[in-house]
Every structure is written in C-alpha cells, then in structure tokens.
Amino acid sequence: MSVVESIEEAGICRKKLTVAVPAPAVEAEVSRVENEYRSRARIPGFRKGKVPLHIVRQRFGEDIKQDVIERLVPRYWHQAQAESEIKALLPPQVESVDYDAGTDLKFVATVEIRPDIDPIDLTAFDLPDHETDPTDDEVADAIEDIRSRVATRVEVERPAERGDLVAGTLSSPESDALPHGQDPPKAQSVEFEVGDESVWEELSLAVMGKSAGQKADFERTEPEGDPPVKKRFSLEITVVRERVLANLDDAFAARVGKFESFENFRSDVRARVHAAKEQNRRHLRERALLDQLRDRHSFGLPEGVVRREIEFLLREYSEELAARGADLSAEKIDWNRLGEEAKPQAERRVHARLVLDAVAEEMNLEISEAEFETALAHIAASQGKTPIVMRQELDKADKLIDLRLQLVRQKVISELLDESAPQEVDPGDQSDPVEPVDS
C-alpha cells in the first residue's frame, strides 16, 4: 500500500507530497512510546515502571504525541521518497502534520528535486590546449623566487625600498571618533615585505622612503563596510632590513633541497614548473568544459540549493575575514548585499553540479568501492589519519555521501577531458571539486 496520497508541482525543481502513515502503524508507534514513558516515569505513589497508562497519557500526552510525530515523519518520508522515486537534493520541509488518535497521520512535505535534463549534449567541446613545457625564462624566474624566499635579512639605516622587510607598530589614531566608553583599537606589531601583493598597497607606499624611528601615516578604505569606510593608520617603523641574496651555486642547491649540484636543483625546478603548468592547463580546460556544459543545458535552478550555496560562500568569506584579524562584530557588513553579489557564483556552482550529475547518469558512471577506498586512503594519509578514522569522522559529519558525489563528478570531468583518473578531492572542505574552476 502506497503512503503517498498526492504529488504536486510547487515551483521550479520543487515537489509537494502528501504522505499518509497508516493508522495501525501510528498506533503501534504510540504504544511503543507510551511504554517507554511508562518505564521511565517517576510519579509519587507509584513504583518506577508501574504507573498506569491512563496517568502516563494524562501527564505526558503532548510529549508522547510529539515524539511519535518526530519518529514517524522521517521514516515515512524515506518510504514516500522511494515509492515516488523523488531525487531529493535537500531534506524536506514538513509544512503541516495532521494527526488524531485512531486515524492516519498525514503530513505535507515540500522538497527540492533534481531537474530533468534531456537531452544531454556531449558533442565535441572546444577546450584550450596550452603549452606545458617550461621556458628557460620561467625556470629562471622560479629559481629567483626561491632565492628571494631563502634570502637572509640585514638591518640597514637607509630608507625602506621595495623588497625590504619592515617591522613596526601599526595603530589607528581615531579614538576621538569612537563612541563614549569604547576603547580605541590596540596597536599591533607587524612585519611585512614592502611591495608584497598580500600587503595593503597604501601601507607599502607609505613606508617607502622612511627609515627606522620615523612614522608612516596613511589612509585606507575598508571595502568590507557598507558604505565603505575610510580609516586613518599610522605605522611607527622600528627596523628596516634588506634582502641579501645567495650565490646560485652547488652550496645554494644543497641548502634549499640537499641537491648534489645546482644542475640537479635546476632540473627539479623545471619539473615543478612543468607540473604547475600542467595543473593550470587542466584548470583552464575544466573551466571551459563546465562553461560549455552550462551553456548547452539551460534549466531553472532549485532555489533552496542556491540559497544554501550562498550561505556557504558567505560563511567561507567570514572565516577568511576572521583569519585576517577582522572583528566581524565591529564591522558594518551588509550580508544581504554580499549575498546578492555571491548569488551568480552560487548559481554557477549549483548549475555545474546538477549537469555533472545528469551526465554521470547518462554515461552510467559510478565510483566503485575500490575507487572509493583508494580515495579515502589518500585523504586519510594527507591528514595523518588511518582510513578507518577518516571514514568514522566523515560518517559522523554526514559527509560520506557528499564525498562519493564529489568523486563521481570529478570522474565525469576526467572522462570528458579524456583523462585516465579523477583528481583527488578534500572532504574536509564543504566545497565541491568543480568549484575552484568557477570564474
């Protein structure tokens, strides 16, 4: 006997199901819950486990009813989903539950579903094919980068120049503009390389031409605020150090990697540059592939899934701000505006995943247990854990299914790019393997 009474369209990629739990099943569950309450009930005048049922019902009736509903709704939703062959993307939203003693328990569940994508177009893709053999200049630049990173630093008395390492105390002299009773922000000790891309450009420009013992004042507009806020800063420079580069010889090669000679080191650098160019080539081809798949398969997106992806992007952004030392409680961030700005990226990600899932079904691509275990072992090794522990952690976090989906999608990409094996994925991140290629 089917438990699904009706299925209705509820919008783009949404279905509304009315589900009926048969009265005998409801009464059986009620009886189980009542007996559990009776066994635990402590009521003056009665021994534990001996409280009459009519008193248990009288005292705990509403709690018993709620427990019955919470047990039966998920169980019969899964049965309804299997019967209707609904391909749910998210847990259902249970809108109403109708239940009276001695009758069927009925509930209405609205769920986001996978779109029907038909036909699947996998005709030839126009993919970029960049050269991956390193040039001599690229190898020389890579060596110079390593040389700069391992250079020693020597304190100098001259003014700071690009490439110097500057240390000092950074403060924001705006305490007069703070609300009454609010403490001014604390000064921070900082150390940075002048001109480094990760350093505020205003800070680098302010310190150039200034020596230890001097102050560098500057203004910077904080882009996270709404509206953006211009703040004043002051850096009291305590020391300037210049970079002293080592000679490029066998001693340098032994120092940076225990290479027998500088030529061995150069060969290793060339191999690493080649690997990086191969990875970039794959990145560009994957992005082009997904762009073309999205263009070929246009359909409405499930709003709930897009909304969840926006929430993920905003959470990722807030964690990035916190890692950079931003005080999120003090920042005037318009999260609604940021959510709207993130929506196109979220839609591209969701679109790509749904297309890849449809292609996987069309091509009958799956991840075998052997492939899954191999991927799990790689992930565990990368995190210094055993596969058993890794599996337990993923299972506890309900990420095993997500990992399998990621592996299938990556396998689809590898097949369409004519590669022999899917790329490795990281389940610790909630993101999907197709996400990094979004533009």
Side-chain angles (χ1 to χ4, degrees), residues 261-275:
S261 68
F262 183 77
E263 285 308 312
N264 290 144
F265 166 68
R266 191 198 304 274
S267 297
D268 181 77
V269 171
R270 181 177 292 276
R272 280 185 279 165
V273 173
H274 177 72

Side-chain angles (χ1 to χ4, degrees), residues 231-365:
K231 292 185 179 180
R232 292 184 295 123
F233 294 91
S234 180
L235 176 73
E236 186 171 342
I237 303 173
T238 56
V239 65
V240 177
R241 295 186 178 93
E242 70 177 4
R243 182 191 293 122
V244 178
L245 299 174
N247 294 326
L248 295 178
D249 52 21
D250 292 348
F252 174 80
R255 175 189 170 196
V256 297
K258 297 183 180 180
F259 294 97
E260 294 181 357
S261 68
F262 183 77
E263 285 308 312
N264 290 144
F265 166 68
R266 191 198 304 274
S267 297
D268 181 77
V269 171
R270 181 177 292 276
R272 280 185 279 165
V273 173
H274 177 72
K277 294 186 72 172
E278 285 279 8
Q279 185 176 14
N280 184 61
R281 173 181 178 272
R282 204 238 186 221
H283 170 91
L284 296 174
R285 289 168 64 82
E286 183 175 332
R287 182 166 61 187
L289 172 70
L290 290 177
D291 285 344
Q292 291 169 51
L293 279 173
R294 283 189 292 251
D295 290 342
R296 295 179 185 186
H297 305 93
S298 178
F299 49 85
L301 300 176
E303 294 180 1
V305 180
V306 173
R307 191 160 51 247
R308 186 182 65 171
E309 188 64 28
I310 292 173
E311 291 170 357
F312 169 76
L313 289 171
L314 293 182
R315 185 166 62 252
E316 193 177 54
Y317 178 60
S318 67
E319 290 172 355
E320 179 185 333
L321 289 180
R324 283 165 26 198
D327 184 355
L328 298 183
S329 61
E331 297 286 351
K332 295 180 179 179
I333 301 175
D334 187 341
W335 292 105
N336 290 329
R337 177 181 61 81
L338 291 178
E340 285 300 314
E341 293 175 357
K343 187 175 181 180
Q345 182 183 5
E347 288 177 336
R348 288 196 301 272
R349 292 184 174 194
V350 171
H351 195 164
R353 292 183 197 137
L354 293 175
V355 173
L356 290 173
D357 292 343
V359 173
E361 188 173 336
E362 176 79 8
M363 299 175 67
N364 294 317
L365 286 179

Side-chain angles (χ1 to χ4, degrees), residues 72-363:
L72 290 177
V73 168
R75 187 187 311 165
Y76 279 85
W77 160 250
H78 287 304
Q79 183 173 332
Q81 185 179 1
E83 288 180 7
S84 59
E85 298 183 347
I86 291 287
K87 299 176 181 178
L89 292 169
L90 295 175
Q93 296 176 337
V94 178
E95 301 168 12
S96 62
V97 179
D98 184 15
Y99 165 55
D100 291 314
T103 65
D104 292 352
L105 183 153
K106 295 185 180 181
F107 63 90
V108 177
T110 303
V111 66
E112 307 269 354
I113 63 169
R114 296 187 182 280
D116 291 325
I117 306 175
D118 186 38
I120 299 294
D121 183 0
L122 300 179
T123 52
F125 296 96
D126 182 16
L127 304 177
D129 192 15
H130 296 285
E131 178 61 56
T132 59
D133 286 337
T135 65
D136 291 342
D137 287 343
E138 288 171 334
V139 174
D141 289 342
I143 291 174
E144 197 60 34
D145 181 62
I146 296 172
R147 187 187 187 195
S148 296
R149 282 190 277 116
V150 302
T152 56
R153 296 283 183 171
V154 177
E155 186 172 340
V156 293
E157 296 182 0
R158 61 167 174 77
E161 300 175 355
R162 183 174 294 274
D164 287 340
L165 191 71
V166 171
T169 303
L170 182 67
S171 60
S172 179
E174 296 185 326
S175 57
D176 55 332
L178 293 173
H180 179 69
Q182 183 173 329
D183 294 331
K186 294 181 179 180
Q188 301 179 55
S189 295
V190 296
E191 187 175 73
F192 59 95
E193 181 178 310
V194 180
D196 188 285
E197 291 182 357
S198 64
V199 176
W200 294 344
E201 183 180 5
E202 299 91 340
L203 177 56
S204 288
L205 292 174
V207 300
M208 282 195 283
K210 291 189 167 24
S211 308
Q214 293 184 310
K215 280 189 176 182
D217 299 323
F218 63 97
E219 290 185 341
R220 181 176 187 271
T221 300
E222 297 285 353
E224 290 83 15
D226 185 31
V229 178
K230 181 174 287 189
K231 292 185 179 180
R232 292 184 295 123
F233 294 91
S234 180
L235 176 73
E236 186 171 342
I237 303 173
T238 56
V239 65
V240 177
R241 295 186 178 93
E242 70 177 4
R243 182 191 293 122
V244 178
L245 299 174
N247 294 326
L248 295 178
D249 52 21
D250 292 348
F252 174 80
R255 175 189 170 196
V256 297
K258 297 183 180 180
F259 294 97
E260 294 181 357
S261 68
F262 183 77
E263 285 308 312
N264 290 144
F265 166 68
R266 191 198 304 274
S267 297
D268 181 77
V269 171
R270 181 177 292 276
R272 280 185 279 165
V273 173
H274 177 72
K277 294 186 72 172
E278 285 279 8
Q279 185 176 14
N280 184 61
R281 173 181 178 272
R282 204 238 186 221
H283 170 91
L284 296 174
R285 289 168 64 82
E286 183 175 332
R287 182 166 61 187
L289 172 70
L290 290 177
D291 285 344
Q292 291 169 51
L293 279 173
R294 283 189 292 251
D295 290 342
R296 295 179 185 186
H297 305 93
S298 178
F299 49 85
L301 300 176
E303 294 180 1
V305 180
V306 173
R307 191 160 51 247
R308 186 182 65 171
E309 188 64 28
I310 292 173
E311 291 170 357
F312 169 76
L313 289 171
L314 293 182
R315 185 166 62 252
E316 193 177 54
Y317 178 60
S318 67
E319 290 172 355
E320 179 185 333
L321 289 180
R324 283 165 26 198
D327 184 355
L328 298 183
S329 61
E331 297 286 351
K332 295 180 179 179
I333 301 175
D334 187 341
W335 292 105
N336 290 329
R337 177 181 61 81
L338 291 178
E340 285 300 314
E341 293 175 357
K343 187 175 181 180
Q345 182 183 5
E347 288 177 336
R348 288 196 301 272
R349 292 184 174 194
V350 171
H351 195 164
R353 292 183 197 137
L354 293 175
V355 173
L356 290 173
D357 292 343
V359 173
E361 188 173 336
E362 176 79 8
M363 299 175 67

Side-chain angles (χ1 to χ4, degrees), residues 15 27 58 109 120 134 140 148 209 222 253 262 302 305 360 372 398 414:
K15 296 279 189 182
E27 292 307 312
Q58 191 177 62
I120 299 294
S148 296
E222 297 285 353
F262 183 77
V305 180
F372 186 80
D398 288 330
S414 295

